[in-house]
Amino acid sequence: MKSFAFFALVVVALLSGCDSMSSRVHDRFSAVPPQTRTFAADRRAVFAAGQLAVKNLDLMLGRTSFAKGSIEAYAPIRQGDAIHDTRQTTMQINFTETEGGTEVALLVSDNTEGNFPGGVSQKGLREHSLYEMYFAALQQILLEKGSIKAP
């Protein structure tokens, strides 16, 4: 009888936190959506400013394709040691022409390579300072070039 009471107590304890636990599990395993901003300028101008914004943030440009409307950018690799993994922050930027201008979708990811089997792991980040820094740099460049007007 005591084991049944203990089992019932464990089940009640597990079920009482299901709502918060399910949202945490969902957040952990669901794909991170990119953050987006729309700029009232044509795609070519925003794409060129997007590349310059990457350079202004002291990041390295990776693959760029105007036809696909994409830019990849990389932060310097942070070397690991016996205790810490090697890490690198990356940015995937996509440009889509819309009726009101150009939508810029940005996803910041953290890539980790450790001494474990399986190689590199990539994790999209919901929050990171690069989101605001990139969009602010992009807006500043577009303002300076006269592609958009000040609000």
Side-chain angles (χ1 to χ4, degrees), residues 6 16 27 87-88 110 133 151:
F6 177 73
S16 66
D27 288 348
R87 295 182 174 275
Q88 183 176 36
D110 188 38
M133 290 170 57

Side-chain angles (χ1 to χ4, degrees), residues 71-122:
I71 295 174
E72 293 178 6
Y74 306 95
I77 295 173
R78 298 181 304 271
Q79 292 297 328
D81 54 30
I83 300 171
H84 300 94
D85 296 329
T86 301
R87 295 182 174 275
Q88 183 176 36
T89 303
T90 61
M91 293 173 36
Q92 177 64 43
I93 311 158
N94 293 306
F95 302 84
T96 307
E97 199 157 352
T98 64
E99 214 171 286
T102 303
E103 181 183 80
V104 179
L106 170 62
L107 179 62
V108 177
S109 299
D110 188 38
N111 300 312
T112 305
E113 182 175 357
N115 294 329
F116 57 92
V120 177
S121 67
Q122 182 176 21

Side-chain angles (χ1 to χ4, degrees), residues 20-86:
S20 64
M21 182 181 236
S22 67
S23 67
R24 286 187 305 217
V25 170
H26 181 267
D27 288 348
R28 183 174 179 119
F29 292 107
S30 64
V32 175
Q35 292 190 20
T36 61
R37 301 281 192 288
T38 301
F39 297 93
D42 67 62
R43 186 169 162 241
R44 184 170 300 281
V46 177
F47 186 82
Q51 292 181 27
L52 190 54
V54 167
K55 293 177 183 177
N56 287 352
L57 293 175
D58 290 328
L59 301 174
M60 297 171 283
L61 278 173
R63 292 185 198 128
T64 62
S65 172
F66 178 73
K68 292 180 182 178
S70 66
I71 295 174
E72 293 178 6
Y74 306 95
I77 295 173
R78 298 181 304 271
Q79 292 297 328
D81 54 30
I83 300 171
H84 300 94
D85 296 329
T86 301

